[in-house]
Amino acid sequence: CRLTMTAMKNFFRVWLLCWTRSLGLELPPVSSTAQLVGFAGDQLNYDESAPHFRWTGHVGLRYHQEPQTIYGFTPDTPLLHDTHALVNTLLDGERFAGRVADDAAEFEDATQSAFGQILVFWDIPNDRCLHADCGFSQVLQDLRSTG
């Protein structure tokens, strides 16, 4: 199924896409400079030992300049071995240094869940970005220094 919601009043689009396992990850166009991509973790059908981010969920950034790449952030902490504690710590507002990487494979994996998955794509309005490139040059710099 595919549902596209447009909020013309705010000049942004939210794309909600759900897939069957056979379709895999289909990326909508990045209509602004940057786009947030995310999926919620499935804590009903999986536990902390689930592959990739199926239990925790994940968020990434796509940019108009490189629409096939989904930049994700992985914190550098011993809590990576205790996913439940890591999620709770992040939800409590704790911050960690970490690495930036192309996490498109993590989003592709989410589409392979036997239970289905909904991914949300949100085009960030250009006037909401602090920098003209919406942080793209900083993400590339972080990728080079941490990847």
Side-chain angles (χ1 to χ4, degrees):
C1 68
R2 175 175 285 164
L3 169 67
T4 304
M5 299 173 3
T6 305
M8 295 305 289
K9 178 180 171 187
N10 296 321
F11 300 104
F12 65 84
R13 279 186 291 212
V14 175
W15 299 76
L16 294 175
L17 303 175
C18 57
W19 290 264
T20 62
R21 289 174 56 165
S22 62
L23 290 177
L25 184 59
E26 294 180 12
L27 298 172
V30 179
S31 298
S32 61
T33 303
Q35 183 181 75
L36 280 172
V37 183
F39 65 92
D42 181 351
Q43 297 173 359
L44 180 64
N45 295 299
Y46 291 105
D47 63 19
E48 294 92 337
S49 65
H52 302 271
F53 290 98
R54 289 185 191 181
W55 185 81
T56 59
H58 199 40
V59 175
L61 279 169
R62 293 176 63 215
Y63 288 93
H64 186 74
Q65 297 94 320
E66 291 185 20
Q68 294 305 114
T69 303
I70 303 175
Y71 294 99
F73 175 79
T74 302
D76 184 15
T77 172
L79 290 176
L80 283 177
H81 303 292
D82 185 352
T83 308
H84 192 344
L86 175 60
V87 168
N88 286 328
T89 302
L90 290 170
L91 290 174
D92 286 340
E94 184 71 30
R95 295 195 271 172
F96 299 97
R99 68 172 180 78
V100 173
D102 179 0
D103 283 352
E106 305 298 347
F107 290 86
E108 177 68 40
D109 175 76
T111 69
Q112 301 305 307
S113 171
F115 307 103
Q117 186 58 267
I118 295 175
L119 281 80
V120 177
F121 298 83
W122 181 62
D123 287 315
I124 302 169
N126 291 332
D127 64 350
R128 299 294 304 255
C129 296
L130 184 61
H131 304 285
D133 69 352
C134 219
F136 184 59
S137 59
Q138 183 64 53
V139 166
L140 291 179
Q141 182 180 341
D142 290 347
L143 179 68
R144 286 189 294 274
S145 67
T146 67

Coordinates of all heavy atoms in Angstrom, one line a residue, residues 84-143:
H84 N 18.1 -2.3 25.0 CA 17.0 -1.7 25.8 C 17.5 -0.5 26.6 O 16.8 0.5 26.6 CB 16.4 -2.8 26.7 CG 15.2 -2.5 27.4 ND1 14.6 -1.2 27.5 CD2 14.2 -3.2 28.0 CE1 13.5 -1.2 28.1 NE2 13.2 -2.4 28.5
A85 N 18.6 -0.6 27.3 CA 19.2 0.5 28.1 C 19.5 1.7 27.2 O 19.3 2.8 27.5 CB 20.4 0.0 28.9
L86 N 20.1 1.4 26.0 CA 20.5 2.4 25.1 C 19.3 3.2 24.6 O 19.3 4.5 24.6 CB 21.2 1.9 23.8 CG 21.5 2.9 22.7 CD1 22.5 4.0 23.3 CD2 22.2 2.2 21.6
V87 N 18.2 2.6 24.2 CA 17.0 3.3 23.8 C 16.5 4.1 24.9 O 16.1 5.3 24.7 CB 15.9 2.3 23.3 CG1 14.6 2.9 23.1 CG2 16.4 1.6 22.0
N88 N 16.4 3.6 26.1 CA 15.9 4.4 27.2 C 16.8 5.6 27.5 O 16.3 6.7 27.8 CB 15.7 3.5 28.5 CG 14.5 2.6 28.3 OD1 13.5 3.0 27.7 ND2 14.6 1.4 28.9
T89 N 18.1 5.4 27.4 CA 19.0 6.5 27.7 C 18.9 7.6 26.6 O 18.9 8.8 27.0 CB 20.5 5.9 27.7 OG1 20.5 4.9 28.7 CG2 21.5 7.0 28.0
L90 N 18.7 7.2 25.4 CA 18.5 8.2 24.3 C 17.2 8.9 24.5 O 17.1 10.1 24.3 CB 18.6 7.5 22.9 CG 20.0 7.0 22.5 CD1 19.8 6.2 21.2 CD2 20.9 8.2 22.3
L91 N 16.2 8.2 24.9 CA 14.9 8.8 25.1 C 14.9 9.8 26.3 O 14.1 10.7 26.4 CB 13.8 7.8 25.3 CG 13.4 7.0 24.1 CD1 12.4 5.9 24.4 CD2 12.8 7.9 23.0
D92 N 15.8 9.5 27.2 CA 16.0 10.4 28.4 C 16.8 11.7 28.0 O 17.0 12.5 28.9 CB 16.6 9.7 29.5 CG 15.7 8.7 30.2 OD1 14.5 8.9 30.1 OD2 16.2 7.8 30.9
G93 N 17.3 11.8 26.8 CA 18.0 13.0 26.3 C 19.5 12.9 26.4 O 20.2 13.8 26.1
E94 N 20.0 11.7 26.7 CA 21.5 11.6 26.8 C 22.1 11.7 25.4 O 21.5 11.2 24.4 CB 21.9 10.2 27.4 CG 23.3 10.0 27.6 CD 23.9 10.8 28.7 OE1 23.2 11.1 29.7 OE2 25.1 11.2 28.6
R95 N 23.2 12.3 25.3 CA 23.9 12.4 24.0 C 25.2 11.7 24.0 O 25.9 11.6 25.0 CB 24.2 13.9 23.6 CG 22.9 14.6 23.4 CD 23.1 15.9 22.8 NE 23.3 16.9 23.8 CZ 23.7 18.2 23.5 NH1 23.9 18.5 22.2 NH2 23.9 19.1 24.4
F96 N 25.6 11.1 22.8 CA 26.8 10.4 22.7 C 27.6 10.8 21.4 O 26.9 11.2 20.4 CB 26.6 8.9 22.5 CG 25.9 8.3 23.7 CD1 24.5 8.1 23.7 CD2 26.6 7.9 24.8 CE1 23.8 7.5 24.8 CE2 25.9 7.3 25.9 CZ 24.6 7.1 25.9
A97 N 28.9 10.7 21.5 CA 29.7 10.8 20.2 C 29.3 9.5 19.4 O 28.8 8.6 20.0 CB 31.1 10.9 20.5
G98 N 29.7 9.5 18.2 CA 29.4 8.3 17.4 C 29.9 8.4 16.0 O 30.8 9.2 15.7
R99 N 29.3 7.6 15.1 CA 29.8 7.6 13.7 C 28.6 7.8 12.8 O 27.4 7.4 13.1 CB 30.5 6.3 13.4 CG 29.6 5.1 13.4 CD 30.3 3.9 12.8 NE 29.4 2.8 12.8 CZ 28.4 2.6 12.0 NH1 28.2 3.4 11.0 NH2 27.6 1.5 12.1
V100 N 28.9 8.5 11.7 CA 27.9 8.7 10.6 C 28.2 7.7 9.5 O 29.4 7.5 9.2 CB 28.0 10.1 10.1 CG1 27.1 10.3 8.8 CG2 27.6 11.1 11.2
A101 N 27.2 7.1 9.0 CA 27.4 6.1 7.9 C 26.2 6.1 7.0 O 25.1 6.6 7.3 CB 27.6 4.7 8.5
D102 N 26.3 5.5 5.8 CA 25.2 5.3 4.9 C 24.4 4.1 5.5 O 24.9 2.9 5.4 CB 25.7 5.0 3.5 CG 24.6 4.7 2.5 OD1 23.4 4.7 2.9 OD2 24.9 4.5 1.3
D103 N 23.3 4.3 6.0 CA 22.5 3.3 6.6 C 21.3 2.8 5.8 O 20.4 2.2 6.3 CB 22.0 3.7 8.0 CG 23.0 3.7 9.1 OD1 24.1 3.2 8.9 OD2 22.7 4.2 10.2
A104 N 21.4 3.0 4.5 CA 20.3 2.6 3.6 C 20.0 1.1 3.8 O 18.9 0.7 3.7 CB 20.7 2.9 2.1
A105 N 21.0 0.3 4.0 CA 20.8 -1.2 4.2 C 20.0 -1.5 5.4 O 19.2 -2.4 5.4 CB 22.2 -1.9 4.3
E106 N 20.1 -0.6 6.4 CA 19.3 -0.8 7.6 C 17.8 -0.6 7.3 O 16.9 -1.3 7.9 CB 19.7 0.1 8.8 CG 21.2 0.0 9.1 CD 21.6 -1.3 9.6 OE1 20.8 -2.2 10.0 OE2 22.8 -1.6 9.7
F107 N 17.5 0.4 6.5 CA 16.1 0.7 6.1 C 15.6 -0.4 5.2 O 14.5 -0.8 5.3 CB 16.0 2.1 5.5 CG 16.3 3.2 6.5 CD1 17.5 3.6 6.8 CD2 15.2 3.7 7.2 CE1 17.7 4.6 7.8 CE2 15.4 4.7 8.1 CZ 16.6 5.2 8.5
E108 N 16.5 -0.9 4.3 CA 16.1 -2.0 3.4 C 15.8 -3.2 4.3 O 14.8 -3.9 4.0 CB 17.2 -2.3 2.4 CG 17.0 -3.5 1.5 CD 15.9 -3.2 0.5 OE1 15.8 -2.1 0.0 OE2 15.1 -4.1 0.3
D109 N 16.6 -3.5 5.3 CA 16.3 -4.6 6.2 C 14.9 -4.5 6.8 O 14.2 -5.5 7.0 CB 17.4 -4.7 7.2 CG 17.1 -5.9 8.2 OD1 17.2 -7.0 7.8 OD2 16.6 -5.5 9.3
A110 N 14.6 -3.3 7.2 CA 13.3 -3.1 7.9 C 12.1 -3.5 7.0 O 11.1 -4.0 7.5 CB 13.1 -1.7 8.3
T111 N 12.3 -3.4 5.7 CA 11.2 -3.7 4.7 C 11.1 -5.3 4.6 O 10.1 -5.8 4.1 CB 11.4 -3.1 3.3 OG1 12.6 -3.7 2.7 CG2 11.6 -1.6 3.4
Q112 N 12.1 -6.0 5.1 CA 12.1 -7.4 5.0 C 11.4 -8.1 6.2 O 11.4 -9.3 6.3 CB 13.5 -8.0 4.8 CG 14.3 -7.4 3.6 CD 13.5 -7.6 2.3 OE1 13.1 -8.8 2.0 NE2 13.3 -6.6 1.6
S113 N 10.9 -7.3 7.1 CA 10.3 -7.9 8.3 C 9.0 -8.7 7.9 O 8.2 -8.2 7.1 CB 9.9 -6.8 9.3 OG 9.0 -7.3 10.3
A114 N 8.9 -9.9 8.4 CA 7.7 -10.7 8.1 C 6.4 -10.0 8.6 O 5.3 -10.4 8.2 CB 7.8 -12.1 8.7
F115 N 6.5 -9.0 9.5 CA 5.4 -8.4 10.1 C 5.0 -7.1 9.5 O 4.1 -6.4 9.9 CB 5.7 -8.2 11.6 CG 6.1 -9.5 12.3 CD1 7.4 -9.7 12.6 CD2 5.1 -10.5 12.6 CE1 7.8 -10.9 13.2 CE2 5.5 -11.6 13.2 CZ 6.8 -11.9 13.5
G116 N 5.8 -6.7 8.4 CA 5.5 -5.4 7.8 C 6.2 -4.3 8.5 O 6.7 -4.4 9.6
Q117 N 6.3 -3.1 7.9 CA 7.0 -2.0 8.4 C 6.4 -0.7 7.7 O 6.2 -0.8 6.5 CB 8.5 -2.1 8.3 CG 9.3 -1.0 9.0 CD 9.0 -0.9 10.5 OE1 8.1 -0.2 10.9 NE2 9.7 -1.7 11.3
I118 N 6.3 0.3 8.5 CA 5.9 1.6 7.9 C 7.1 2.6 8.0 O 7.6 2.7 9.1 CB 4.7 2.2 8.6 CG1 3.5 1.3 8.3 CG2 4.4 3.7 8.1 CD1 2.2 1.8 9.0
L119 N 7.5 3.1 6.9 CA 8.6 4.1 6.9 C 8.0 5.5 6.6 O 7.1 5.6 5.8 CB 9.7 3.8 5.9 CG 10.7 2.7 6.3 CD1 10.1 1.4 6.1 CD2 12.0 2.9 5.6
V120 N 8.5 6.5 7.3 CA 8.0 7.9 7.1 C 9.1 8.7 6.5 O 10.2 8.6 6.9 CB 7.5 8.5 8.5 CG1 7.1 9.9 8.3 CG2 6.4 7.7 9.1
F121 N 8.7 9.4 5.5 CA 9.7 10.3 4.8 C 9.1 11.8 4.9 O 8.0 12.0 4.5 CB 9.8 10.0 3.3 CG 10.3 8.6 3.0 CD1 9.5 7.5 3.1 CD2 11.6 8.4 2.8 CE1 10.0 6.2 2.9 CE2 12.1 7.1 2.5 CZ 11.3 6.0 2.6
W122 N 9.9 12.7 5.5 CA 9.5 14.0 5.7 C 10.4 15.0 5.0 O 11.6 15.1 5.4 CB 9.3 14.3 7.2 CG 8.8 15.7 7.5 CD1 7.6 16.3 7.1 CD2 9.5 16.7 8.2 NE1 7.5 17.6 7.5 CE2 8.7 17.9 8.2 CE3 10.8 16.8 8.8 CZ2 9.1 19.1 8.8 CZ3 11.1 18.0 9.4 CH2 10.3 19.1 9.4
D123 N 10.0 15.7 4.0 CA 10.8 16.7 3.4 C 10.9 17.9 4.3 O 9.9 18.5 4.7 CB 10.2 17.2 2.1 CG 10.4 16.1 1.0 OD1 11.5 15.5 0.9 OD2 9.4 15.8 0.3
I124 N 12.1 18.3 4.7 CA 12.4 19.4 5.6 C 12.2 20.7 4.8 O 13.0 20.8 3.9 CB 13.7 19.3 6.3 CG1 13.9 17.9 7.1 CG2 14.0 20.5 7.2 CD1 15.3 17.6 7.5
P125 N 11.4 21.6 5.2 CA 11.3 22.8 4.5 C 12.6 23.6 4.5 O 13.3 23.6 5.6 CB 10.2 23.6 5.3 CG 9.4 22.6 6.0 CD 10.4 21.5 6.3
N126 N 13.0 24.1 3.4 CA 14.3 24.8 3.3 C 14.5 25.9 4.3 O 15.6 26.1 4.9 CB 14.6 25.3 1.9 CG 14.8 24.1 0.9 OD1 15.3 23.0 1.3 ND2 14.5 24.3 -0.3
D127 N 13.4 26.6 4.6 CA 13.5 27.7 5.6 C 13.6 27.2 7.0 O 13.8 28.0 7.9 CB 12.3 28.6 5.4 CG 11.0 28.0 5.8 OD1 10.9 26.8 6.0 OD2 10.0 28.8 5.9
R128 N 13.5 25.9 7.2 CA 13.7 25.4 8.6 C 15.2 24.9 8.8 O 15.5 24.5 9.9 CB 12.8 24.2 8.8 CG 11.3 24.5 8.7 CD 10.8 25.4 9.8 NE 11.1 24.9 11.1 CZ 10.3 24.4 12.0 NH1 9.0 24.3 11.6 NH2 10.6 23.9 13.1
C129 N 16.0 25.0 7.8 CA 17.4 24.6 7.9 C 18.3 25.7 8.4 O 18.1 26.9 7.9 CB 17.9 24.1 6.5 SG 17.1 22.6 5.9
L130 N 19.2 25.4 9.3 CA 20.1 26.5 9.8 C 21.1 26.9 8.7 O 21.4 28.1 8.6 CB 20.9 25.9 11.0 CG 21.8 26.8 11.7 CD1 21.0 28.0 12.3 CD2 22.5 26.1 12.8
H131 N 21.5 26.0 7.8 CA 22.4 26.3 6.8 C 21.8 26.1 5.4 O 20.8 25.3 5.3 CB 23.7 25.4 6.9 CG 24.4 25.5 8.2 ND1 25.1 26.6 8.5 CD2 24.4 24.7 9.3 CE1 25.6 26.5 9.7 NE2 25.2 25.3 10.2
A132 N 22.3 26.7 4.4 CA 21.7 26.6 3.0 C 21.6 25.2 2.5 O 20.7 24.8 1.9 CB 22.4 27.5 2.1
D133 N 22.6 24.4 2.9 CA 22.7 23.0 2.4 C 22.0 22.0 3.4 O 22.1 20.8 3.3 CB 24.1 22.5 2.2 CG 25.0 22.4 3.4 OD1 24.5 22.8 4.5 OD2 26.1 21.9 3.3
C134 N 21.4 22.6 4.5 CA 20.6 21.8 5.5 C 21.6 20.8 6.2 O 21.2 19.7 6.6 CB 19.4 21.1 4.9 SG 18.0 21.1 5.9
G135 N 22.8 21.2 6.3 CA 23.8 20.4 7.1 C 24.5 19.3 6.3 O 25.3 18.5 6.8
F136 N 24.3 19.3 4.9 CA 24.9 18.3 4.1 C 26.4 18.3 4.2 O 27.0 17.2 4.3 CB 24.4 18.4 2.6 CG 24.9 17.4 1.7 CD1 24.6 16.0 2.0 CD2 25.7 17.7 0.6 CE1 25.0 15.0 1.1 CE2 26.1 16.7 -0.3 CZ 25.8 15.4 0.0
S137 N 27.0 19.4 4.1 CA 28.5 19.5 4.2 C 29.0 19.0 5.5 O 30.1 18.3 5.6 CB 29.0 20.9 3.9 OG 28.5 21.8 4.8
Q138 N 28.3 19.3 6.6 CA 28.7 18.8 7.9 C 28.6 17.2 8.0 O 29.4 16.6 8.6 CB 27.9 19.4 9.0 CG 28.3 19.0 10.4 CD 29.8 19.5 10.7 OE1 30.1 20.7 10.6 NE2 30.6 18.6 11.2
V139 N 27.5 16.7 7.4 CA 27.3 15.3 7.4 C 28.4 14.6 6.7 O 29.0 13.6 7.1 CB 25.9 14.9 6.9 CG1 25.8 13.4 6.5 CG2 24.8 15.3 7.8
L140 N 28.8 15.1 5.5 CA 29.9 14.6 4.7 C 31.2 14.6 5.5 O 32.0 13.7 5.5 CB 30.1 15.3 3.4 CG 28.9 15.1 2.4 CD1 29.2 15.8 1.1 CD2 28.7 13.6 2.1
Q141 N 31.5 15.8 6.2 CA 32.7 15.9 7.0 C 32.7 14.9 8.2 O 33.7 14.2 8.4 CB 32.8 17.3 7.6 CG 34.0 17.5 8.4 CD 34.1 18.9 9.0 OE1 33.4 19.8 8.5 NE2 34.9 19.1 10.0
D142 N 31.5 14.7 8.8 CA 31.4 13.7 9.9 C 31.6 12.3 9.3 O 32.2 11.4 10.0 CB 30.1 13.8 10.6 CG 29.9 15.1 11.4 OD1 31.0 15.7 11.7 OD2 28.8 15.4 11.8
L143 N 31.1 12.0 8.2 CA 31.2 10.7 7.5 C 32.7 10.4 7.3 O 33.2 9.3 7.6 CB 30.5 10.7 6.2 CG 30.5 9.4 5.4 CD1 29.9 8.3 6.1 CD2 29.9 9.6 4.0

